[in-house]
Amino acid sequence: MLAPASRAGSEVLAMGRRRVMIIGLDCAEPSLAFDRFAGAMPNLRRLRKRGIWGPLRSTIPPITVPAWTCMVSGSDPGELGIYGFRNRKGYGTYEMDFATSKSVRVPRLWDILGDAGRTSTVLFVPQTYPAPASLRGSMVTCFLTPGPESEWARPPELKATLEAAFGPYIVDVPDFRTDDKRRLLQSIYAMSRQHFAMARHMLAREDWDFFMMVDMGTDRLHHGFWKYFNPDHPQYVPGNPLEDAGREYYAYLDRELGTLLEYADADTAVLVVSDHGARTMRGGICVNEWLLQHGYLALRTVPDAPTPFAKLEIDWSRTKAWGEGGYYARVFLNVQGRDPQGMIPPDQVDTECRALQAMLEAIPDEHGKPIGTVAHRPADIYPVVRGTPPDLIVLFGNLAWRSVGSVGRGRIHTFENDTGPDDANHAWDGILVAAGPGIPALGRLEGAEVRDVARTVLQLLDVPAPATMGGRSLLDRLADIAADPAVDGRRDSPP
Amino acid sequence: MTGYVVWLTGDRARMDALAEALRIGLAGTADSVDVLTAELVEDKLCANEPRGADFRDVVVRRLGWIGHLLARNGCALVAVSASPRRQVRDDVRAQVGNFVEVLVHGTMPDGYETPHYPEVEAAAGESPASVVAKVRRALLDNGYVGAGGSVYSAEEEARIKDRLEKLGYL
């Protein structure tokens, strides 16, 4: 068993080799971690003073899958061919398939490091189920693991070891959509406590060059409790009994962070990151309801109650476009010769797509006011477009509104999502804090992107990045800033 | 009927027994099920090839090409080859399409490159019957002998969908 780095006698310490530890906090929001709740996060503040910190720009779309995979591969969603949790199986079918670990066709950090003879410990990182047999090191798979009975550990015998120490694996928060907020909060803590305890267990016993874990509790807290602790939410009530839930959870996270940092010796670079941030959700735009009302979607029977898209009786022969719900919308055109029952002639696709793009961007709020929606065509935002991309990626109200896929409300705007209340949507910027050997104490850094993390880790570990890897190492960016502070970034220290 | 290739890679010494069990156990899942070894390909199809650094790769690729032809015509091939190079195996996988890679644990050849996601792993000491059962499941799950194709079973997929819907991701 290896001792925490702050204690004496570690074999790893004696070797003095460079290591990298990434602590991921899914959805951690910069305005909370760096401002409102900074006072409750002394460990994070100390780390910020020792290195760099600032916003970490997410991917388009800013969502857990594919953002974390972009972070650990340096790819963008277009290169991955992964545009969300579910993707079209192909243009030959309207069916969707889940994006799992096997969907990732580019090497991730642990693949590259393994080929270079380095060992990784990877815990709860989204899109790691099933775990690769080729992994050099150890892994506990993510919340896309079906359940505690699944094969969620690599090597396989690790599962029994962790179960014996920590009980059945809590894959995610059960029964997330509930009005019993106290129970939900307890469930979030129970999951996070188990995951951090497993992380300490692994840090103490594994001989790693690269350690990475992702806590999903922050995301679950934001979606379930945002309105209780954010005064800009329309349903915020001052003095409500859960007003401190956010601050207390961030303070809890900081205590967990402190215990992990004990395993980071002087040769360990530490990154605390999130894949995207969070913001108040104003409501939902029922994208398929809108498509139905505007003649793009044809149904054999129009339901009179909210009905999931998968259960609708779609008349594909008269359908020009359809959409997926979620924190953003993916809209597909139904094209002759491409889709099974395509309707739009190929020579009219561009015209139809541009017209639909303009109409979606013009959808106002419930009072008729503009909301600033942006609809992207994948080829306009990704240099390479792989897989079966949507024809439009729609971000309603710059993420103040979510996409609702069900049909049957009879109106475009809703203030509940398909499965119940949701307080928050994702925001463009996550957090970045980095400190340790090789990282100068330059304070606040602007302009870092999720895709920059993979190259940064490889440079810290002195492992060559594949020529095809995207992003830019933050160390190169920092070298530019050190030479000329006006280049990109400011030297502010945390208050 | 759909054809496919079951590709044994890893510990060559264990493969003959596994291949014979697969030939028998998979009967009826394709128009025919045959076994072909890299040694036979080397002897019959590569006898005049120069023994250069990439000779082993040439043999593996020709074995894969035969599998591709058979699978395309509704037959199944159990391919027996240590095939240590991952890229070459992946090239064959891409060519064949309906491809089930079986990682045979044991004594690996020098420089062996472990596959990232073999459909099946034959653990050291695992019985051929157990491996046959796993291969049949993989063929079913991937839709090569029936419906399916996800890493999830139907029940697991329903659970994941329900979870992601409740979390708001879908």
Side-chain angles (χ1 to χ4, degrees):
Chain A
M1 177 172 172
L2 302 178
S6 57
R7 297 168 199 159
S10 164
E11 190 179 325
V12 170
L13 266 179
M15 293 167 67
R17 69 173 194 256
R18 176 73 64 83
R19 302 191 299 177
V20 173
M21 172 189 285
I22 294 183
I23 299 163
L25 308 173
D26 192 286
C27 196
E29 163 58 29
S31 64
L32 300 182
F34 297 153
D35 186 7
R36 271 185 72 197
F37 300 158
M41 306 189 77
N43 289 303
L44 192 70
R45 281 164 59 87
R46 276 193 288 276
L47 210 57
R48 289 162 63 193
K49 287 198 174 189
R50 285 174 44 208
I52 57 168
W53 59 278
L56 188 64
R57 178 51 60 123
S58 189
T59 49
I60 305 174
I63 191 166
T64 300
V65 171
W68 285 106
T69 297
C70 293
M71 190 185 296
V72 295
S73 70
S75 300
D76 66 26
E79 288 173 287
L80 295 174
I82 298 170
Y83 304 93
F85 278 89
R86 291 200 305 171
N87 297 269
R88 286 274 294 271
K89 288 182 176 178
Y91 286 123
T93 173
Y94 296 111
E95 291 181 13
M96 310 288 282
D97 211 0
F98 288 105
T100 67
S101 183
K102 290 180 75 171
S103 310
V104 182
R105 301 295 182 189
V106 299
R108 287 179 273 189
L109 280 172
W110 43 89
D111 300 315
I112 298 162
L113 294 171
D115 286 345
R118 309 295 180 89
T119 303
S120 299
T121 294
V122 181
L123 308 176
F124 327 117
V125 178
Q127 230 182 336
T128 52
Y129 180 85
S134 57
L135 179 72
R136 183 185 176 97
S138 50
M139 179 178 281
V140 173
T141 59
C142 65
F143 70 97
L144 292 171
T145 306
E149 75 290 349
S150 305
E151 295 302 323
W152 47 263
R154 176 70 64 171
E157 55 270 23
L158 177 62
K159 178 180 175 181
T161 303
L162 292 177
E163 279 179 337
F166 305 106
Y169 176 30
I170 303 174
V171 174
D172 207 320
V173 178
D175 303 321
F176 186 73
R177 296 292 162 195
T178 175
D179 290 326
D180 187 349
K181 294 294 183 178
R182 291 287 178 191
R183 185 202 60 74
L184 177 59
L185 197 57
Q186 287 171 1
S187 296
I188 293 171
Y189 274 102
M191 174 184 72
S192 295
R193 284 194 185 107
Q194 186 197 57
H195 292 188
F196 279 107
M198 286 182 176
R200 284 189 292 276
H201 176 98
M202 299 297 285
L203 283 166
R205 287 163 179 79
E206 299 288 312
D207 186 10
W208 49 273
D209 298 291
F210 174 63
F211 171 89
M212 181 172 183
M213 73 164 289
V214 173
D215 172 62
M216 296 304 301
T218 329
D219 182 87
R220 308 309 182 235
L221 176 93
H222 289 164
H223 289 293
F225 294 89
W226 191 262
K227 71 181 176 190
Y228 296 104
F229 62 87
N230 280 285
D232 73 335
H233 195 287
Q235 296 174 33
Y236 168 75
V237 178
N240 74 78
L242 291 166
E243 187 149 27
D244 289 330
R247 180 183 300 276
E248 286 172 358
Y249 188 79
Y250 273 74
Y252 156 75
L253 281 180
D254 191 73
R255 292 193 294 275
E256 296 282 19
L257 172 65
T259 67
L260 300 187
L261 292 178
E262 289 190 23
Y263 295 90
D265 61 26
D267 294 310
T268 303
V270 177
L271 284 77
V272 182
V273 291
S274 62
D275 55 334
H276 54 73
R279 59 169 298 169
T280 288
M281 185 191 294
R282 283 273 291 111
I285 302 290
C286 300
V287 62
N288 285 314
E289 195 87 51
W290 185 92
L291 291 168
L292 179 70
Q293 291 183 10
H294 290 77
Y296 281 93
L297 176 65
L299 301 180
R300 293 198 170 84
T301 308
V302 178
D304 55 10
T307 304
F309 184 78
K311 294 184 177 175
L312 296 173
E313 294 181 63
I314 299 164
D315 183 350
W316 289 108
S317 67
R318 295 192 300 118
T319 287
K320 291 168 72 176
W322 54 288
E324 273 277 299
Y327 293 116
Y328 67 103
R330 279 151 293 158
V331 174
F332 294 90
L333 300 182
N334 196 25
V335 179
Q336 284 178 10
R338 187 189 79 173
D339 298 278
Q341 297 177 63
M343 185 187 175
I344 300 173
D347 62 351
Q348 294 177 26
V349 168
D350 190 61
T351 306
E352 288 280 4
C353 194
R354 289 194 186 285
L356 182 57
Q357 184 178 23
M359 291 174 73
L360 289 168
E361 289 182 342
I363 295 175
D365 71 6
E366 73 276 26
H367 305 299
K369 293 180 180 171
I371 59 174
T373 294
V374 176
H376 293 290
R377 300 180 73 170
D380 293 340
I381 54 174
Y382 307 127
V384 178
V385 181
R386 296 206 167 96
T388 312
D391 292 287
L392 290 169
I393 293 171
V394 188
L395 305 149
F396 288 116
N398 193 27
L399 300 170
W401 295 74
R402 64 168 284 134
S403 165
V404 175
S406 55
V407 171
R409 288 177 176 80
R411 52 190 163 82
I412 305 303
H413 303 91
T414 182
F415 299 93
E416 290 203 334
N417 79 12
D418 297 279
T419 51
D422 194 338
D423 299 353
N425 205 347
H426 296 173
W428 286 113
D429 289 330
I431 66 167
L432 166 72
V433 179
I439 301 169
L442 287 175
R444 186 177 173 97
L445 175 74
E446 301 286 350
E449 298 179 12
V450 155
R451 289 207 307 159
D452 298 338
V453 170
R455 276 189 178 273
T456 306
V457 170
L458 294 176
Q459 190 170 354
L460 284 166
L461 291 172
D462 198 25
V463 171
T468 53
M469 176 176 275
R472 185 187 181 204
S473 170
L474 296 173
L475 305 187
D476 292 342
R477 194 190 294 273
L478 291 171
D480 292 346
I481 294 170
D484 180 1
V487 170
D488 189 6
R490 297 183 291 123
R491 288 172 184 268
D492 295 354
S493 287
Chain B
M1 192 172 269
T2 306
Y4 58 84
V5 170
V6 176
W7 191 277
L8 305 185
T9 174
D11 182 1
R12 176 66 184 86
R14 293 183 60 205
M15 289 183 189
D16 290 326
L18 286 176
E20 181 60 12
L22 286 164
R23 188 184 67 78
I24 296 166
L26 298 177
T29 60
D31 285 345
S32 67
V33 182
D34 285 292
V35 175
L36 185 58
T37 68
E39 292 82 358
L40 198 62
V41 171
E42 181 178 336
D43 184 43
K44 301 294 184 189
L45 294 176
C46 304
N48 297 321
E49 286 291 327
R51 290 331 198 235
D54 62 351
F55 176 70
R56 303 304 313 171
D57 293 348
V58 171
V59 173
V60 171
R61 288 183 193 283
R62 288 189 184 177
L63 176 57
W65 182 73
I66 293 167
H68 161 64
L69 289 182
L70 288 169
R72 197 173 68 182
N73 289 283
C75 301
L77 180 70
V78 179
V80 174
S81 169
S83 47
R85 292 195 56 214
R86 184 192 300 143
Q87 185 60 57
V88 178
R89 295 193 306 269
D90 286 351
D91 289 347
V92 172
R93 171 190 288 274
Q95 183 181 39
V96 171
N98 291 359
F99 189 86
V100 170
E101 192 170 18
V102 181
L103 173 58
V104 182
H105 287 281
T107 305
M108 299 311 207
D110 290 342
Y112 185 77
E113 296 169 0
T114 306
H116 289 307
Y117 298 105
E119 280 78 5
V120 172
E121 291 185 65
E126 186 171 4
S127 71
S130 171
V131 177
V132 171
K134 286 182 177 176
V135 170
R136 289 188 75 100
R137 169 67 191 263
L139 290 168
L140 193 66
D141 286 349
N142 285 282
Y144 305 156
V145 297
S150 170
V151 303
Y152 302 119
S153 67
E155 184 269 334
E156 288 173 341
E157 186 162 316
R159 284 167 71 186
I160 294 290
K161 184 168 181 287
D162 179 65
R163 183 183 302 159
L164 295 181
E165 281 177 347
K166 284 182 174 157
L167 289 168
Y169 287 122
L170 304 182

